[in-house]
Amino acid sequence: MARYTDAVCRICRREGLKLFLKGSRCYTRKCSFERRSTPPGMYAQRRRKVSEFGLQLREKQKVRKSYSVLERQFRNYFAKAAKHTGMTGVDLLRMLEMRLDNVVFRMGFASSRAQARQLVTHGHFAVNGRPTNIPSYGTAVGDRIEVRDSRRNREYFKIATETMKSAQIPEWVSSDATKLSGSVLSEPTREQMPLEFNEQLVVEYYSR
């Protein structure tokens, strides 16, 4: 499966928004977006006024790349959200937030979604006691996510125990640093999801 392997800081510069794709580095002076926030490319300063379609496309790309989802995958998420009775844009964001890699990130096990994705892919976590290595696995309310017993003694998780204590955990999940586990308490509300995203523009993009 194709994956973006170039410098992720270029994505933030292209979208004109810090997406925190490199975790803790994004909070330091080394952040490339802070040092150079202009879009990448030789003619970045000459770009014309963005059209309505351009705004919709950029917003779609912003959300998709923030969650590290491929185009077809993202389109499938939108198709599922469109079948729900609620607001399509909010349902789309909610499904992305309920992905296992994002839940691991929200619980403080990783400093970025990319790192959380790698941890899940390497089989470090179990959901309700069952080892799961699928980052796109859709969690549900009541699910318990924990580090597998055979992986707890690894150096990474010894350090993670300390960093989890200072992590900002959203209200819709719980996290226990001493037990290296957490639970999904409820589905996130719109206020508990990234406020910098304008999901309505994404809906308009796919409704053309």
Side-chain angles (χ1 to χ4, degrees):
M1 183 179 290
R3 281 285 159 196
Y4 180 85
T5 57
D6 207 345
V8 293
C9 292
R10 290 174 60 89
I11 297 177
C12 298
R13 290 175 55 200
R14 179 65 186 88
E15 305 306 333
L17 177 70
K18 188 186 288 191
L19 300 177
F20 299 96
L21 300 177
K22 298 207 73 171
S24 57
R25 180 188 174 95
C26 298
Y27 296 94
T28 67
R29 294 182 179 180
K30 294 182 179 180
C31 176
S32 297
F33 184 81
E34 293 290 346
R35 292 186 294 175
R36 189 180 180 188
S37 59
T38 55
M42 292 178 60
Y43 304 103
Q45 303 300 329
R46 300 183 185 180
R47 294 183 180 175
R48 302 174 182 175
K49 182 179 179 181
V50 182
S51 64
E52 183 178 354
F53 170 77
L55 289 174
Q56 296 167 358
L57 174 62
R58 292 266 57 85
E59 196 65 28
K60 186 266 293 184
Q61 293 291 78
K62 188 190 304 180
V63 176
R64 184 177 72 81
K65 292 179 179 180
S66 180
Y67 288 95
S68 299
V69 178
L70 294 177
E71 180 60 42
R72 180 179 294 181
Q73 220 177 357
F74 192 78
R75 195 184 307 119
N76 290 339
Y77 276 123
F78 181 84
K80 291 179 182 179
K83 295 179 181 178
H84 293 179
T85 56
M87 298 179 66
T88 302
V90 176
D91 288 335
L92 172 63
L93 290 181
R94 184 174 291 119
M95 283 192 290
L96 293 171
E97 282 287 313
M98 296 289 280
R99 284 169 53 99
L100 179 58
D101 55 355
N102 184 75
V103 172
V104 168
F105 164 64
R106 294 297 188 197
M107 288 180 176
F109 287 108
S111 61
S112 67
R113 291 187 180 91
Q115 188 179 39
R117 180 186 182 86
Q118 187 179 46
L119 291 173
V120 173
T121 303
H122 288 180
H124 293 304
F125 292 92
V127 180
N128 298 326
R130 300 182 63 179
T132 306
N133 62 354
I134 304 175
S136 61
Y137 177 88
T139 62
V141 177
D143 281 354
R144 178 179 175 81
I145 293 89
E146 58 186 348
V147 178
R148 296 171 60 187
D149 292 338
S150 59
R151 314 295 173 93
R152 289 174 179 263
N153 292 328
R154 302 202 173 191
E155 189 63 29
Y156 175 85
F157 292 110
K158 292 179 180 179
I159 299 174
T161 301
E162 299 300 322
T163 57
M164 286 175 66
K165 295 177 181 179
S166 59
Q168 295 183 348
I169 311 299
E171 296 179 353
W172 59 278
V173 295
S174 66
S175 179
D176 191 332
T178 57
K179 296 182 179 180
L180 289 175
S181 64
S183 300
V184 180
L185 302 178
S186 64
E187 293 185 344
T189 63
R190 182 61 189 94
E191 292 72 22
Q192 294 171 329
M193 294 184 280
L195 299 177
E196 63 269 21
F197 296 150
N198 186 345
E199 66 277 7
Q200 185 57 35
L201 289 177
V202 181
V203 175
E204 293 173 2
Y205 173 84
Y206 283 111
S207 300
R208 289 178 294 110

